[in-house]
Amino acid sequence: MESLQVALSQDFFEAFARIPRNKQKKVNEFVGKFRNNPQSSGLNYEKINDAANDQFRSVRVDQDYRAIVMKPSKGNVYLLLWVDKHDEAYAWARRHKCQVNPETGALQLYEVTHHEAAVETEAASEPAEDKAESEGEALFDLRDRELLRLGVPEDRLEQVKAVTSQRALDQMERLLPVEAFEALCFLAEGVSLNEVMAEYAVPDGEHEVDTTDIDAALELATTQRRFHVVEDEAELQQMLEAPLEQWRVFLHPLQRQLVERHWNGPVRVLGGAGTGKTVVAMHRARWLARNVLAQGEKLLFTTFTRNLAMDIEANLRKICTQEEMGAIEVTNINGLAHRALRQIGHPGQVVYPGSDEYSKCWDKALTQSPGELNFPDSFYEEEFEQVVLTQRVQTRQEYFKAKRVGRGVALSRKQRAQIWPVFEEMRLQLHQNGFLTLQDGIYAVMDHLAEGKGDLPQYRCAVVDETQDFGPEMLQLLRALVPEQKDDMMLVGDGHQRIYGRRASLGQCGINIRGRGKKLRVNYRTTEEIRRYATAVLEGIEVDDLDDDQDSLSGYRSLLMGQKPVLKGFSDPKEEAEWVCSEIQKLTDDGMPDRNICVVARTEKHLKDVKSALKEAGRDAYPVRRDSTENTQIPGIRLANMHRVKGLEFKVVFIVAVNQGVVPLQVAMDKTEDVVEKRARDLNERALLHVACTRAVQGLYVSWSGEVSEYLRS
Ligand SMILES: Nc1ncnc2c1ncn2[C@@H]1O[C@H](COP(=O)(O)OP(=O)(O)OP(=O)(O)O)[C@@H](O)[C@H]1O
């Protein structure tokens, strides 16, 4: 007998997540039975009168619940589409269509009748300005053929051609298959037809589609973003245990294209906040472990921040087998450098700028500064970090030749000679105290590797998240640890989220991406309203593409719609803190678990008033830590500074104290007098606010007391 297969739809998991726990157990048993034998006579298939698709059947889960199943006329795959209470399940079946698109070959699921009525009513109550807009020109100047190739079903062509505004398009969301809606959204956002066609359309006239062949449809990446053929019982159980963690199985076709193929060298993945870069990186690591690593070979998965590395390791465990995990090493880049230094037996202790030890060395070094030049102390520190350390300058002669691109003050040869003693003294101080900077530490490791002593692990592949924050020496270290070859590296990042350090170019660090890579455009995390607000914070700012070009934040789209961010100013911080508490109270009264709420400020100090107000209100609150994973199960409001929330997400985010002088942080800005450096810091500060805003999934509250931050004034 031909073996039977079961594919579960993404919608099924959403429906499953919504039903009560005791019923989930029943559904779980049912799914197990169904998967073992979808044709089992005990399953009571019932035809649904008036269903838009005559292959839809309802199947009894228990007395109250029914699952909606598609029983194909041909082939050996059964589709499990929905689960709900009896009447609701039937209503769902009457409202949806599931069929293979004759043009694209993808299996599509979309609404038929319910929302058509809704669209009419909503159109009748459109605000005046939208009505005016909707009487205007058609939004899409496309031929039927192009629309069909983008996956618009034939029976929707006329409606799509009649769309005259973004709002009218938004209202069609459920009436269109997701891929077609997404493609139209990008066109409406101004992404060029060529780009959208390249990413979404089927090649013209390339293949014949058999609309009854569900097996073939399930092979397509477009189908796989919404349907998954379950491999085994263990996978099914994992999926049902965390039905909302859909990233584990349902990849966007663009994500899948990046993950499941061989690349001829390093590949770069760009994408704004929340576009699923980390998800791509994790799936890539699994794919490499399965398809590329030979016995005994290792993969390095590295990030900039420590807590993100820990989160990633915990998530990788959810999608990888133990054996695969055994070949994957997850660590943040500083941790990797520290360990390598120990392994090569380097006696130095790494010290970081801002630490007491480092500052003491500087106090001594600055005694050598030539008074006649009148440079501020900050100038020397910046010059040391950005020129001397970055270019490994050891001698006065080397300093004469060093490139000073990006420094605000030009220096003559004579001036270089005058200031060199400061750096010489700094190196001496560090050395005498047994200290070394991270950069020097990394270079020591690279020297060791270059000598070929063979006592440091090398990796077959590396997957890198948060690449935008890696300094040049870190990228060079990666290059040294991972020999150049096919499938050697994947680097994901977003220059708009650079909150540490400065720009480094992959190419200039020996990582040649040569056009390999893609940009992810669909924001999976935040609502469109929050995404737009967070993008506006960076308006007019130029950001690099991690290599030698520019990147931009246009051409993105979130598919979730929601409330506009709430913005509110107060005359003093106590009032602001009370407001935050009362808004939190409203949210928790409405059923939002407090663990899903995070209050963020530029620094810990600016969380003080909210902390006391929460305490007075008898609420649990605890800080997001640098060195632990974010355990989403522990109750309590989360508190964090802006740096700490990078890479995380919360249902609701409150950003407090967005005051003039705090955002951007005046003390950080005042530390430099160099104009170029000031601009770089301003960018980092804006990026911090952008990062904080983009952590919010459905609710964003931004507040201030006294004068509002200049970043919010426009
Ligand atoms: N294919 C997918 N299906 C469902 N959810 C997804 C998918 N891809 C990503 N997500 C979800 O979207 C959210 C953002 O994903 P992720 O953290 O990978 O984005 P990112 O681009 O790395 O974000 P950031 O740069 O802001 O840290 C997460 O909740 C993730 O689970």
Short mmCIF file of all heavy atoms in Angstrom, two decimals, residues 563-615:
data_model
loop_
_atom_site.label_atom_id
_atom_site.label_comp_id
_atom_site.label_asym_id
_atom_site.label_seq_id
_atom_site.Cartn_x
_atom_site.Cartn_y
_atom_site.Cartn_z
N GLN A 563 -2.39 48.54 16.98
CA GLN A 563 -2.60 49.90 17.47
C GLN A 563 -1.36 50.75 17.19
O GLN A 563 -0.24 50.25 17.20
CB GLN A 563 -2.78 49.88 19.00
CG GLN A 563 -3.94 49.01 19.47
CD GLN A 563 -5.26 49.55 18.98
OE1 GLN A 563 -5.46 50.75 18.96
NE2 GLN A 563 -6.15 48.66 18.56
N LYS A 564 -1.59 52.05 17.05
CA LYS A 564 -0.45 52.98 16.91
C LYS A 564 0.28 53.04 18.25
O LYS A 564 -0.36 52.90 19.31
CB LYS A 564 -0.98 54.37 16.59
CG LYS A 564 -1.45 54.50 15.17
CD LYS A 564 -1.21 55.95 14.72
CE LYS A 564 -1.27 56.05 13.22
NZ LYS A 564 -2.45 56.66 12.71
N PRO A 565 1.59 53.29 18.27
CA PRO A 565 2.29 53.45 19.55
C PRO A 565 1.66 54.59 20.36
O PRO A 565 1.18 55.57 19.79
CB PRO A 565 3.71 53.80 19.13
CG PRO A 565 3.86 53.28 17.75
CD PRO A 565 2.51 53.38 17.12
N VAL A 566 1.70 54.45 21.68
CA VAL A 566 1.15 55.49 22.56
C VAL A 566 2.32 56.38 22.99
O VAL A 566 3.31 55.87 23.53
CB VAL A 566 0.50 54.85 23.81
CG1 VAL A 566 -0.04 55.92 24.75
CG2 VAL A 566 -0.58 53.87 23.40
N LEU A 567 2.22 57.68 22.76
CA LEU A 567 3.29 58.61 23.12
C LEU A 567 2.76 59.57 24.17
O LEU A 567 1.68 60.13 24.01
CB LEU A 567 3.73 59.43 21.91
CG LEU A 567 3.92 58.68 20.60
CD1 LEU A 567 4.29 59.64 19.48
CD2 LEU A 567 5.03 57.64 20.75
N LYS A 568 3.53 59.77 25.26
CA LYS A 568 3.00 60.65 26.30
C LYS A 568 4.11 61.35 27.08
O LYS A 568 5.08 60.71 27.49
CB LYS A 568 2.15 59.80 27.25
CG LYS A 568 1.06 60.62 27.91
CD LYS A 568 -0.09 59.72 28.32
CE LYS A 568 -1.00 60.42 29.29
NZ LYS A 568 -1.79 61.48 28.70
N GLY A 569 3.92 62.65 27.27
CA GLY A 569 4.91 63.42 28.03
C GLY A 569 4.36 63.83 29.40
O GLY A 569 3.15 63.98 29.57
N PHE A 570 5.28 64.02 30.36
CA PHE A 570 4.88 64.38 31.74
C PHE A 570 5.77 65.50 32.23
O PHE A 570 6.87 65.71 31.71
CB PHE A 570 5.00 63.16 32.65
CG PHE A 570 4.08 62.05 32.26
CD1 PHE A 570 4.46 61.11 31.31
CD2 PHE A 570 2.79 61.97 32.78
CE1 PHE A 570 3.61 60.12 30.89
CE2 PHE A 570 1.92 60.98 32.38
CZ PHE A 570 2.33 60.05 31.44
N SER A 571 5.29 66.15 33.31
CA SER A 571 6.15 67.23 33.81
C SER A 571 7.21 66.69 34.76
O SER A 571 8.27 67.27 34.90
CB SER A 571 5.31 68.32 34.47
OG SER A 571 4.45 67.74 35.39
N ASP A 572 6.93 65.56 35.45
CA ASP A 572 8.03 65.02 36.26
C ASP A 572 8.05 63.48 36.22
O ASP A 572 7.04 62.84 35.91
CB ASP A 572 8.00 65.58 37.69
CG ASP A 572 7.05 64.84 38.59
OD1 ASP A 572 5.86 65.20 38.58
OD2 ASP A 572 7.50 63.89 39.25
N PRO A 573 9.21 62.90 36.54
CA PRO A 573 9.39 61.45 36.36
C PRO A 573 8.44 60.60 37.21
O PRO A 573 8.08 59.50 36.82
CB PRO A 573 10.84 61.21 36.79
CG PRO A 573 11.46 62.51 37.02
CD PRO A 573 10.44 63.58 36.97
N LYS A 574 8.06 61.13 38.38
CA LYS A 574 7.18 60.33 39.26
C LYS A 574 5.81 60.14 38.60
O LYS A 574 5.24 59.06 38.61
CB LYS A 574 7.01 61.03 40.62
CG LYS A 574 8.27 61.09 41.43
CD LYS A 574 8.07 60.39 42.77
CE LYS A 574 9.33 60.01 43.49
NZ LYS A 574 10.59 60.62 43.16
N GLU A 575 5.31 61.25 38.01
CA GLU A 575 4.03 61.17 37.32
C GLU A 575 4.11 60.15 36.18
O GLU A 575 3.21 59.36 35.97
CB GLU A 575 3.76 62.53 36.65
CG GLU A 575 2.55 63.29 37.16
CD GLU A 575 2.48 64.60 36.37
OE1 GLU A 575 2.10 64.58 35.20
OE2 GLU A 575 2.90 65.63 36.95
N GLU A 576 5.24 60.22 35.48
CA GLU A 576 5.43 59.30 34.35
C GLU A 576 5.41 57.85 34.85
O GLU A 576 4.73 56.99 34.28
CB GLU A 576 6.78 59.61 33.67
CG GLU A 576 7.06 58.75 32.45
CD GLU A 576 8.48 58.93 31.90
OE1 GLU A 576 9.25 59.75 32.47
OE2 GLU A 576 8.81 58.25 30.91
N ALA A 577 6.12 57.61 35.96
CA ALA A 577 6.19 56.25 36.50
C ALA A 577 4.80 55.77 36.94
O ALA A 577 4.44 54.60 36.71
CB ALA A 577 7.16 56.22 37.69
N GLU A 578 4.01 56.66 37.51
CA GLU A 578 2.65 56.27 37.93
C GLU A 578 1.79 55.91 36.72
O GLU A 578 1.02 54.96 36.74
CB GLU A 578 1.97 57.40 38.71
CG GLU A 578 2.40 57.40 40.17
CD GLU A 578 2.14 58.73 40.85
OE1 GLU A 578 1.26 59.48 40.37
OE2 GLU A 578 2.83 59.02 41.84
N TRP A 579 1.98 56.69 35.67
CA TRP A 579 1.22 56.39 34.44
C TRP A 579 1.60 55.01 33.89
O TRP A 579 0.74 54.21 33.53
CB TRP A 579 1.48 57.49 33.40
CG TRP A 579 0.88 57.21 32.06
CD1 TRP A 579 -0.43 57.34 31.71
CD2 TRP A 579 1.56 56.74 30.89
NE1 TRP A 579 -0.61 56.98 30.40
CE2 TRP A 579 0.60 56.62 29.87
CE3 TRP A 579 2.89 56.43 30.60
CZ2 TRP A 579 0.91 56.20 28.59
CZ3 TRP A 579 3.21 56.00 29.31
CH2 TRP A 579 2.23 55.89 28.33
N VAL A 580 2.91 54.74 33.88
CA VAL A 580 3.36 53.43 33.39
C VAL A 580 2.70 52.32 34.19
O VAL A 580 2.16 51.34 33.65
CB VAL A 580 4.92 53.32 33.45
CG1 VAL A 580 5.39 51.90 33.18
CG2 VAL A 580 5.55 54.28 32.46
N CYS A 581 2.70 52.51 35.54
CA CYS A 581 2.09 51.48 36.40
C CYS A 581 0.62 51.31 36.09
O CYS A 581 0.12 50.19 36.04
CB CYS A 581 2.23 51.87 37.87
SG CYS A 581 3.81 51.38 38.50
N SER A 582 -0.07 52.43 35.89
CA SER A 582 -1.52 52.29 35.67
C SER A 582 -1.80 51.66 34.30
O SER A 582 -2.72 50.87 34.15
CB SER A 582 -2.26 53.62 35.86
OG SER A 582 -1.99 54.45 34.77
N GLU A 583 -0.97 51.95 33.30
CA GLU A 583 -1.16 51.30 32.00
C GLU A 583 -0.87 49.79 32.10
O GLU A 583 -1.55 48.97 31.48
CB GLU A 583 -0.26 51.93 30.93
CG GLU A 583 -0.63 53.35 30.54
CD GLU A 583 -2.05 53.49 30.00
OE1 GLU A 583 -2.43 52.70 29.13
OE2 GLU A 583 -2.78 54.39 30.47
N ILE A 584 0.15 49.47 32.89
CA ILE A 584 0.47 48.05 33.08
C ILE A 584 -0.71 47.35 33.76
O ILE A 584 -1.12 46.25 33.39
CB ILE A 584 1.78 47.89 33.89
CG1 ILE A 584 2.97 48.29 33.02
CG2 ILE A 584 1.93 46.46 34.41
CD1 ILE A 584 4.32 48.22 33.69
N GLN A 585 -1.28 48.05 34.74
CA GLN A 585 -2.44 47.48 35.44
C GLN A 585 -3.57 47.18 34.45
O GLN A 585 -4.17 46.11 34.47
CB GLN A 585 -2.92 48.48 36.52
CG GLN A 585 -4.05 47.96 37.39
CD GLN A 585 -3.60 46.79 38.27
OE1 GLN A 585 -2.53 46.87 38.88
NE2 GLN A 585 -4.38 45.72 38.29
N LYS A 586 -3.83 48.15 33.56
CA LYS A 586 -4.91 47.94 32.57
C LYS A 586 -4.61 46.70 31.71
O LYS A 586 -5.49 45.90 31.43
CB LYS A 586 -5.03 49.17 31.65
CG LYS A 586 -5.73 50.34 32.30
CD LYS A 586 -5.98 51.40 31.21
CE LYS A 586 -5.84 52.79 31.80
NZ LYS A 586 -5.55 53.83 30.83
N LEU A 587 -3.35 46.60 31.31
CA LEU A 587 -3.00 45.48 30.44
C LEU A 587 -3.17 44.15 31.16
O LEU A 587 -3.73 43.19 30.61
CB LEU A 587 -1.53 45.61 29.99
CG LEU A 587 -1.23 46.71 28.98
CD1 LEU A 587 0.27 46.98 28.90
CD2 LEU A 587 -1.75 46.31 27.60
N THR A 588 -2.70 44.09 32.42
CA THR A 588 -2.79 42.81 33.14
C THR A 588 -4.26 42.52 33.49
O THR A 588 -4.68 41.37 33.48
CB THR A 588 -1.89 42.77 34.39
OG1 THR A 588 -2.17 43.92 35.18
CG2 THR A 588 -0.43 42.76 34.03
N ASP A 589 -5.05 43.57 33.75
CA ASP A 589 -6.48 43.34 33.99
C ASP A 589 -7.13 42.72 32.76
O ASP A 589 -8.06 41.93 32.85
CB ASP A 589 -7.21 44.67 34.30
CG ASP A 589 -6.87 45.17 35.69
OD1 ASP A 589 -6.27 44.39 36.47
OD2 ASP A 589 -7.20 46.34 36.01
N ASP A 590 -6.62 43.10 31.59
CA ASP A 590 -7.18 42.54 30.35
C ASP A 590 -6.60 41.17 30.01
O ASP A 590 -6.81 40.65 28.91
CB ASP A 590 -6.91 43.48 29.16
CG ASP A 590 -7.81 44.69 29.21
OD1 ASP A 590 -8.79 44.67 29.98
OD2 ASP A 590 -7.54 45.67 28.47
N GLY A 591 -5.79 40.65 30.91
CA GLY A 591 -5.31 39.27 30.70
C GLY A 591 -3.89 39.14 30.18
O GLY A 591 -3.43 38.04 29.93
N MET A 592 -3.18 40.25 30.02
CA MET A 592 -1.79 40.15 29.54
C MET A 592 -0.89 39.69 30.69
O MET A 592 -0.83 40.34 31.73
CB MET A 592 -1.35 41.54 29.06
CG MET A 592 0.12 41.68 28.76
SD MET A 592 0.61 40.96 27.21
CE MET A 592 -0.32 41.90 26.02
N PRO A 593 -0.21 38.55 30.56
CA PRO A 593 0.69 38.12 31.63
C PRO A 593 1.80 39.16 31.84
O PRO A 593 2.32 39.70 30.86
CB PRO A 593 1.28 36.82 31.09
CG PRO A 593 0.39 36.40 29.97
CD PRO A 593 -0.21 37.65 29.41
N ASP A 594 2.12 39.46 33.11
CA ASP A 594 3.12 40.52 33.34
C ASP A 594 4.50 40.17 32.78
O ASP A 594 5.29 41.04 32.45
CB ASP A 594 3.18 40.92 34.82
CG ASP A 594 3.51 39.77 35.73
OD1 ASP A 594 3.73 38.64 35.22
OD2 ASP A 594 3.55 39.98 36.96
N ARG A 595 4.79 38.87 32.62
CA ARG A 595 6.10 38.48 32.08
C ARG A 595 6.27 38.89 30.62
O ARG A 595 7.37 38.84 30.07
CB ARG A 595 6.31 36.97 32.23
CG ARG A 595 5.28 36.16 31.49
CD ARG A 595 5.59 34.66 31.55
NE ARG A 595 4.75 33.96 30.62
CZ ARG A 595 3.55 33.48 30.89
NH1 ARG A 595 3.06 33.60 32.11
NH2 ARG A 595 2.85 32.84 29.97
N ASN A 596 5.17 39.27 29.97
CA ASN A 596 5.26 39.69 28.56
C ASN A 596 5.46 41.18 28.40
O ASN A 596 5.38 41.71 27.29
CB ASN A 596 3.99 39.28 27.81
CG ASN A 596 3.88 37.79 27.66
OD1 ASN A 596 4.87 37.08 27.81
ND2 ASN A 596 2.69 37.29 27.39
N ILE A 597 5.65 41.86 29.54
CA ILE A 597 5.79 43.32 29.47
C ILE A 597 7.22 43.70 29.89
O ILE A 597 7.71 43.22 30.90
CB ILE A 597 4.79 44.00 30.45
CG1 ILE A 597 3.36 43.57 30.09
CG2 ILE A 597 4.95 45.51 30.44
CD1 ILE A 597 2.30 44.03 31.07
N CYS A 598 7.85 44.55 29.11
CA CYS A 598 9.20 44.99 29.48
C CYS A 598 9.25 46.52 29.52
O CYS A 598 8.75 47.18 28.62
CB CYS A 598 10.21 44.46 28.46
SG CYS A 598 11.91 44.84 28.90
N VAL A 599 9.83 47.05 30.59
CA VAL A 599 10.04 48.49 30.67
C VAL A 599 11.51 48.76 30.38
O VAL A 599 12.40 48.15 30.99
CB VAL A 599 9.67 49.04 32.07
CG1 VAL A 599 9.80 50.57 32.09
CG2 VAL A 599 8.26 48.63 32.48
N VAL A 600 11.74 49.63 29.42
CA VAL A 600 13.11 49.88 28.95
C VAL A 600 13.47 51.34 29.14
O VAL A 600 12.63 52.22 28.92
CB VAL A 600 13.22 49.55 27.43
CG1 VAL A 600 14.66 49.67 26.95
CG2 VAL A 600 12.68 48.18 27.12
N ALA A 601 14.71 51.60 29.55
CA ALA A 601 15.20 52.99 29.60
C ALA A 601 16.61 53.01 29.05
O ALA A 601 17.26 51.96 28.92
CB ALA A 601 15.16 53.52 31.01
N ARG A 602 17.12 54.20 28.75
CA ARG A 602 18.46 54.31 28.18
C ARG A 602 19.50 53.72 29.12
O ARG A 602 20.44 53.05 28.71
CB ARG A 602 18.75 55.78 27.84
CG ARG A 602 20.16 56.09 27.40
CD ARG A 602 20.51 55.39 26.10
NE ARG A 602 21.86 55.65 25.69
CZ ARG A 602 22.92 54.99 26.15
NH1 ARG A 602 22.77 54.01 27.03
NH2 ARG A 602 24.14 55.28 25.73
N THR A 603 19.35 54.01 30.45
CA THR A 603 20.29 53.44 31.43
C THR A 603 19.48 52.86 32.58
O THR A 603 18.30 53.19 32.76
CB THR A 603 21.23 54.51 32.02
OG1 THR A 603 20.43 55.36 32.85
CG2 THR A 603 21.91 55.34 30.97
N GLU A 604 20.14 52.03 33.40
CA GLU A 604 19.49 51.44 34.58
C GLU A 604 18.96 52.55 35.49
O GLU A 604 17.88 52.44 36.07
CB GLU A 604 20.48 50.60 35.39
CG GLU A 604 21.14 49.48 34.63
CD GLU A 604 20.22 48.33 34.31
OE1 GLU A 604 19.22 48.16 35.04
OE2 GLU A 604 20.48 47.62 33.31
N LYS A 605 19.78 53.61 35.60
CA LYS A 605 19.42 54.70 36.50
C LYS A 605 18.04 55.28 36.16
O LYS A 605 17.26 55.63 37.04
CB LYS A 605 20.49 55.79 36.37
CG LYS A 605 20.48 56.80 37.49
CD LYS A 605 21.62 57.77 37.30
CE LYS A 605 21.05 59.07 36.74
NZ LYS A 605 21.99 59.93 36.11
N HIS A 606 17.73 55.33 34.90
CA HIS A 606 16.46 55.93 34.50
C HIS A 606 15.27 54.99 34.65
O HIS A 606 14.15 55.33 34.30
CB HIS A 606 16.56 56.46 33.07
CG HIS A 606 17.52 57.60 32.98
ND1 HIS A 606 18.81 57.43 32.55
CD2 HIS A 606 17.39 58.90 33.33
CE1 HIS A 606 19.44 58.59 32.63
NE2 HIS A 606 18.61 59.50 33.09
N LEU A 607 15.53 53.82 35.20
CA LEU A 607 14.43 52.90 35.49
C LEU A 607 13.98 53.02 36.94
O LEU A 607 13.00 52.43 37.36
CB LEU A 607 14.88 51.45 35.25
CG LEU A 607 15.00 51.01 33.80
CD1 LEU A 607 15.74 49.68 33.71
CD2 LEU A 607 13.61 50.87 33.18
N LYS A 608 14.77 53.81 37.69
CA LYS A 608 14.59 53.88 39.14
C LYS A 608 13.16 54.23 39.56
O LYS A 608 12.56 53.54 40.39
CB LYS A 608 15.60 54.92 39.66
CG LYS A 608 15.56 55.21 41.11
CD LYS A 608 16.62 56.23 41.44
CE LYS A 608 16.08 57.58 41.45
NZ LYS A 608 16.02 58.72 40.98
N ASP A 609 12.59 55.27 38.96
CA ASP A 609 11.24 55.70 39.38
C ASP A 609 10.19 54.64 39.05
O ASP A 609 9.29 54.39 39.85
CB ASP A 609 10.88 57.03 38.71
CG ASP A 609 11.75 58.15 39.25
OD1 ASP A 609 11.70 58.39 40.46
OD2 ASP A 609 12.51 58.73 38.45
N VAL A 610 10.32 54.03 37.90
CA VAL A 610 9.35 53.00 37.54
C VAL A 610 9.50 51.81 38.50
O VAL A 610 8.51 51.24 38.96
CB VAL A 610 9.55 52.53 36.08
CG1 VAL A 610 8.67 51.35 35.75
CG2 VAL A 610 9.26 53.68 35.13
N LYS A 611 10.74 51.49 38.82
CA LYS A 611 10.99 50.37 39.74
C LYS A 611 10.27 50.61 41.06
O LYS A 611 9.57 49.73 41.57
CB LYS A 611 12.50 50.28 40.00
CG LYS A 611 13.10 48.96 39.63
CD LYS A 611 14.49 48.92 40.19
CE LYS A 611 15.51 48.49 39.24
NZ LYS A 611 16.86 48.62 39.64
N SER A 612 10.45 51.83 41.64
CA SER A 612 9.80 52.09 42.93
C SER A 612 8.29 52.10 42.80
O SER A 612 7.59 51.58 43.66
CB SER A 612 10.22 53.42 43.57
OG SER A 612 11.35 53.90 43.03
N ALA A 613 7.78 52.67 41.69
CA ALA A 613 6.32 52.70 41.54
C ALA A 613 5.76 51.28 41.42
O ALA A 613 4.71 50.96 41.98
CB ALA A 613 5.95 53.53 40.31
N LEU A 614 6.50 50.42 40.72
CA LEU A 614 6.03 49.03 40.57
C LEU A 614 6.04 48.33 41.93
O LEU A 614 5.13 47.59 42.28
CB LEU A 614 6.91 48.26 39.59
CG LEU A 614 6.76 48.61 38.11
CD1 LEU A 614 7.84 47.94 37.27
CD2 LEU A 614 5.38 48.20 37.58
N LYS A 615 7.09 48.64 42.69
CA LYS A 615 7.21 48.03 44.02
C LYS A 615 6.04 48.46 44.90
O LYS A 615 5.39 47.65 45.55
CB LYS A 615 8.54 48.45 44.64
CG LYS A 615 9.01 47.48 45.69
CD LYS A 615 10.42 47.74 46.07
CE LYS A 615 10.73 46.96 47.33
NZ LYS A 615 11.88 47.50 48.01
#
